[in-house]
Amino acid sequence: MKNLVLKSFIASSLLASFAFANGAFIGVDVGYNFKSEFDLSTNEISNIQKAKDKNTELGIKGGYDFDMFKVYGGYYYQTEAKDKIISNLNTKIAWKIHKLVAGADWTPNITTDLKAVIGAYVGFSRIDAEISTKIIGRNFSNYGNNNGVVYGGKIGAAYSFDEHNEVEFGVKAEKSKYSEDKADYDVNIIGAYLGYSYKF
């Protein structure tokens, strides 16, 4: 009797592990942001304008696919963007962002191999920024970093080549919020992405 109970426990544990592995996935994402906007306008400083640029984004992710929806966590890196920040001076700002996010996607079937993807995510954001000014031929710069929160949403589609390989593509919008020395600022993103996932 004891052996039967032990064998049943082992069998059920292996079955649960197998079921979990069948939904688990790992993947990579690459994106292009049509707009990366550094917004200081909330501070009501009249001579500071919004800085805008384009940049790329790279990410790694892992999660679990429940068929009609999936959950995941990932690390994403937005490459440097830069623009003039004070219109009447030669003052520029450059920024890049590291993110750790958790997200959930609703993935209803469109066809057998194609699914819609509608999702949202939230997480931790760290920005590295450098402000530089050129005055009478001399360059002055100030470099710093700050921690904040990021949240966003996406809409797209996912296509499965087989039971293990899937590509996902779509558009997304997100906001990162920071506060430092009573000065609040945001970074707003609108872009497109392409991802690949391997399902176990």
Side-chain angles (χ1 to χ4, degrees), residues 41-109:
S41 62
T42 55
N43 292 296
E44 299 181 355
I45 302 174
S46 59
N47 65 335
I48 290 184
Q49 62 186 24
K50 295 178 182 179
K52 298 178 182 179
D53 197 8
K54 301 175 177 64
N55 63 349
T56 56
E57 183 169 318
L58 305 170
I60 55 174
K61 62 186 178 182
Y64 192 83
D65 191 339
F66 295 92
D67 189 29
M68 286 293 289
F69 72 95
K70 59 184 176 182
V71 294
Y72 64 93
Y75 163 76
Y76 293 85
Y77 170 67
Q78 290 178 10
T79 61
E80 185 178 86
K82 55 187 175 181
D83 192 15
K84 184 177 288 187
I85 197 171
I86 301 180
S87 56
N88 59 345
L89 292 174
N90 192 12
T91 301
K92 297 180 180 179
I93 185 167
W95 66 97
K96 49 191 175 183
I97 296 176
H98 305 263
K99 299 177 293 181
L100 290 173
V101 305
D105 298 339
W106 179 46
T107 57
N109 289 320

Side-chain angles (χ1 to χ4, degrees), residues 100-119:
L100 290 173
V101 305
D105 298 339
W106 179 46
T107 57
N109 289 320
I110 299 174
T111 65
T112 304
D113 299 320
L114 184 67
K115 293 183 175 185
V117 177
I118 303 169

Side-chain angles (χ1 to χ4, degrees), residues 100 127 154 158 170 183:
L100 290 173
I127 189 169
K154 63 179 181 177

Side-chain angles (χ1 to χ4, degrees), residues 80-197:
E80 185 178 86
K82 55 187 175 181
D83 192 15
K84 184 177 288 187
I85 197 171
I86 301 180
S87 56
N88 59 345
L89 292 174
N90 192 12
T91 301
K92 297 180 180 179
I93 185 167
W95 66 97
K96 49 191 175 183
I97 296 176
H98 305 263
K99 299 177 293 181
L100 290 173
V101 305
D105 298 339
W106 179 46
T107 57
N109 289 320
I110 299 174
T111 65
T112 304
D113 299 320
L114 184 67
K115 293 183 175 185
V117 177
I118 303 169
Y121 54 91
V122 64
F124 167 82
S125 178
R126 183 174 180 84
I127 189 169
D128 299 324
E130 181 179 11
I131 297 176
S132 59
T133 303
K134 189 173 184 178
I135 303 175
I136 317 176
R138 295 185 63 184
N139 292 316
F140 301 89
S141 63
N142 183 32
Y143 179 84
N145 49 54
N146 197 12
N147 299 326
V149 296
V150 58
Y151 53 91
K154 63 179 181 177
I155 184 168
Y159 180 79
S160 296
F161 292 98
D162 53 41
E163 61 179 339
H164 295 298
N165 299 283
E166 180 183 82
V167 294
E168 182 183 328
F169 51 91
V171 294
K172 66 178 183 178
E174 73 174 43
K175 178 185 287 288
S176 299
K177 298 183 71 68
Y178 308 95
S179 181
E180 183 177 11
D181 296 331
K182 299 180 181 179
D184 299 330
Y185 59 95
D186 304 335
V187 176
N188 303 306
I189 300 295
I190 297 176
Y193 71 93
L194 174 66
Y196 165 79
S197 295

